[in-house]
Amino acid sequence: MLVMIKKQPHPDLSTLTNAEKDALILSLLARLEALEALARKDSHNSSKPPSSDGLAKKTKKTSSLREASGKKVGGQIGHKGTTLKQVAQATEIVRHPLPARCDYCNEPLPLENACVSETRQVFDIPATAYDVIEHRTLRVVCRCGQAHESAFPAEVTEAVQYGPNVRALGVHLTQGQMLPFARASELLQDLYGLPVSPGTLVSWVGEARAALQGTADLIADQLRVAPLVHADESGLRVAAKLHWLHIAANESHTWYGVHARRGMEAIEAHGILPRLLGVLVHDCWAPYWQLDCIHALCNAHLLRELVYVKEITTQAWPQKMMDLLLNANELCESARQHEIELPAEDIATYLALYDIILREGELANPELVKQPGAGKRGRSKQSIAFNLLRRLRQHADSVLLFIREPSVPFTNNLGERAVRMPKVKQKISGCFRTLDGAQNFAVIRSCLDTLRKQGHGMLEVLRHAFAGNPIQPACG
């Protein structure tokens, strides 16, 4: 890991008093500890993505929040596999003829009595080419002299144009399957012999956004009244500048929005979370606490932070807290599967144990009190362990809401999962060259991901959109 350090002038030690030397040594030790702590952070003990870990082999076994199942690698005994099966009605039948004569006695064979001995089926796709449908209007003149002329369908507006199916496929390749525009153009040429320029694909994406904007607005409206919503945000490069992708999602809906800001300005501009009526699951980012709703914290984030504090302090309380949260989650999952709620006694026990563990951590990590005459204004900088303990104490109700409310999940995984496809798009393309392109992607992906969750294929969604009858999402 490359750490940029701001070079500072070296003090003249001969001019410093003993007290000033002591203060300098303490500040250098604190700085060294901060740099070492930064170097120890990776995906297993922080919110850094695994891609930031690099390719270097880990020299020590890291603490994993996943327990080994004890099963062998590969398919398990008793697992019902799947295989390609013959269909009742084949598309084409090829009969392989018998010889005209017996290869033993050379007598003619009674071919009229031949029956099917065995069948084998080959599944393949046809080598296809595009169709050109020519529309013709007719004109006739009545005996009275009045001319009559038929009309083209409303969707046929040009002398030559592309149809809805190929436009849907082009948008699906770039916005659904994340292909760059140039490669999608090449694929259409290879598959169908149809020349489609990257610029044409860009224009189709704009048409798809216009056709699906009403659907995306409906998704936002349905999330505002949803009983539970996951929220997350991630950086996005747009027009060579940092923008932010904001996500609101649940089991049946996904909504994306792009904004130049990350905080409340963007949240208020998008207008979903400020009007939320249900529970908001998030990662404890400060602006979310300004929202007037019920909050639930992502315990996966807290578990990684606990791993980090355990590694840098070697104290016992982080492991105890991890065991408590994981055990509570396992018990809650079992209760959900049996469609029952945890008894009030069990909930009270977990709350009491949570408080006991926090007290143990607080005793081991007291608040640093600023000494008189210390120099700098403001509060004293606290340790990482103290800050985590303070957060666990301050937001205890949100941390443990999953125990009291069966509908509240243990993590914000659903919101983080929604970030993955946009990040894939950014990795492939590097960035969005224009803000319009990023907003087009957000609207289209909102509809594709939502309707995919509700059982619709992405290509089906786009075909309906280009045909003028977009599929509308059902309420979650």
Side-chain angles (χ1 to χ4, degrees):
M1 176 184 293
L2 180 64
V3 180
M4 301 300 295
I5 303 176
K6 184 178 180 181
K7 189 174 181 180
Q8 298 179 351
H10 297 294
D12 185 358
L13 299 181
S14 62
T15 64
L16 299 181
T17 66
N18 289 335
E20 290 173 334
K21 291 179 181 179
D22 291 341
L24 176 62
I25 292 173
L26 291 176
S27 67
L28 291 174
L29 288 174
R31 191 177 181 200
L32 176 62
E33 181 181 358
L35 291 173
E36 289 179 341
L38 181 63
R40 284 197 293 265
K41 281 191 174 183
D42 56 27
S43 61
H44 91 283
N45 59 12
S46 73
S47 296
K48 298 179 67 175
S51 59
S52 67
D53 292 344
L55 300 177
K57 183 178 179 180
K58 291 182 172 61
T59 57
K60 63 177 182 178
K61 184 178 180 181
T62 57
S63 301
S64 175
L65 299 175
R66 298 182 179 180
E67 296 182 0
S69 65
K71 298 179 181 178
K72 294 182 179 180
V73 177
Q76 304 300 311
I77 297 176
H79 171 69
K80 185 178 180 180
T82 58
T83 186
L84 194 62
K85 296 181 179 180
Q86 290 191 351
V87 297
Q89 189 66 39
T91 307
E92 180 183 354
I93 296 176
V94 178
R95 291 179 173 83
H96 298 280
L98 291 163
R101 292 180 175 274
C102 176
D103 58 4
Y104 180 74
C105 66
N106 203 34
E107 289 293 322
L109 290 174
L111 298 180
E112 66 278 5
N113 297 331
C115 61
V116 176
S117 173
E118 184 182 357
T119 62
R120 297 180 181 181
Q121 294 182 345
V122 177
F123 287 64
D124 204 350
I125 57 175
T128 60
Y130 59 91
D131 294 327
V132 177
I133 302 171
E134 183 172 288
H135 293 259
R136 296 178 178 178
T137 58
L138 302 178
R139 186 176 186 277
V140 68
V141 179
C142 180
R143 291 187 181 92
C144 69
Q146 177 67 37
H148 295 266
E149 188 172 340
S150 59
F152 288 109
E155 65 274 10
V156 180
T157 59
E158 305 293 338
V160 180
Q161 66 183 68
Y162 293 100
N165 287 341
V166 68
R167 285 184 287 164
L169 178 58
V171 175
H172 176 56
L173 292 175
T174 59
Q175 310 300 293
Q177 299 303 324
M178 313 301 178
L179 285 181
F181 288 101
R183 287 171 56 192
S185 175
E186 292 176 4
L187 184 60
L188 289 171
Q189 175 72 47
D190 292 343
L191 287 177
Y192 301 102
L194 184 62
V196 179
S197 70
T200 299
L201 291 174
V202 173
S203 68
W204 290 353
V205 170
E207 293 174 17
R209 185 259 179 94
L212 291 170
Q213 184 65 63
T215 305
D217 293 340
L218 180 58
I219 292 170
D221 291 338
Q222 292 175 345
L223 282 169
R224 291 185 188 101
V225 297
L228 185 141
V229 171
H230 296 254
D232 204 354
E233 71 291 326
S234 181
L236 203 67
R237 297 297 298 179
V238 179
K241 295 181 180 179
L242 176 62
H243 283 63
W244 293 91
L245 182 74
H246 294 259
I247 296 102
N250 58 19
E251 291 288 349
S252 59
H253 290 68
T254 303
W255 182 89
Y256 296 100
V258 178
H259 200 277
R261 302 293 182 185
R262 185 185 183 189
M264 281 303 298
E265 180 181 342
I267 292 173
E268 291 174 349
H270 291 147
I272 296 178
L273 302 184
R275 295 159 58 186
L276 183 67
L277 300 179
V279 176
L280 179 64
V281 185
H282 57 85
D283 57 6
C284 204
W285 188 47
Y288 290 133
W289 295 108
Q290 301 178 40
L291 300 172
D292 185 17
C293 61
I294 301 173
H295 296 265
L297 288 185
C298 174
N299 283 283
H301 280 77
L302 296 174
L303 288 172
R304 289 193 291 267
E305 291 187 70
L306 287 165
V307 169
Y308 181 63
V309 171
K310 172 188 170 184
E311 291 175 349
I312 65 175
T313 65
T314 68
Q315 296 172 359
W317 69 268
Q319 185 62 54
K320 292 180 182 179
M321 183 62 77
M322 285 191 287
D323 293 340
L324 171 70
L325 294 174
L326 291 172
N327 180 270
N329 180 49
E330 184 177 351
L331 190 61
C332 290
E333 285 293 330
S334 177
R336 290 189 191 100
Q337 292 176 2
H338 293 86
E339 298 182 350
I340 60 175
E341 295 185 4
L342 287 184
E345 297 80 7
D346 290 347
I347 296 176
T349 299
Y350 277 117
L351 297 180
L353 289 173
Y354 183 87
D355 183 69
I356 291 172
I357 296 171
L358 283 186
R359 289 181 183 276
E360 177 184 338
E362 289 164 347
L363 287 174
N365 301 275
E367 182 177 6
L368 298 178
V369 180
K370 189 174 182 179
Q371 300 298 326
K376 293 182 179 180
R377 292 180 295 177
R379 294 177 297 180
S380 296
K381 183 178 181 180
Q382 303 297 326
S383 68
I384 296 173
F386 176 85
N387 288 332
L388 177 58
L389 285 162
R390 180 168 56 185
R391 194 158 7 110
L392 290 170
R393 173 71 71 186
Q394 183 179 357
H395 303 301
D397 290 342
S398 299
V399 173
L400 300 176
L401 186 61
F402 76 97
I403 297 178
R404 300 190 302 274
E405 297 292 339
S407 61
V408 174
F410 183 67
T411 72
N412 192 31
N413 184 54
L414 201 152
E416 294 177 351
R417 195 186 312 159
V419 180
R420 293 173 188 169
M421 286 299 101
K423 302 304 284 188
V424 169
K425 177 68 173 177
Q426 183 173 246
K427 285 182 179 180
I428 292 172
S429 302
C431 70
F432 289 94
R433 294 188 178 183
T434 66
L435 181 58
D436 282 343
Q439 292 173 338
N440 290 345
F441 177 80
V443 170
I444 294 171
R445 282 300 307 187
S446 296
C447 300
L448 293 182
D449 205 45
T450 295
L451 293 169
R452 179 191 58 80
K453 289 178 177 180
Q454 299 186 11
H456 300 281
M458 291 193 288
L459 187 57
E460 172 198 5
V461 172
L462 291 167
R463 281 174 173 164
H464 278 79
F466 279 110
N469 58 334
I471 301 172
Q472 299 304 313
C475 291

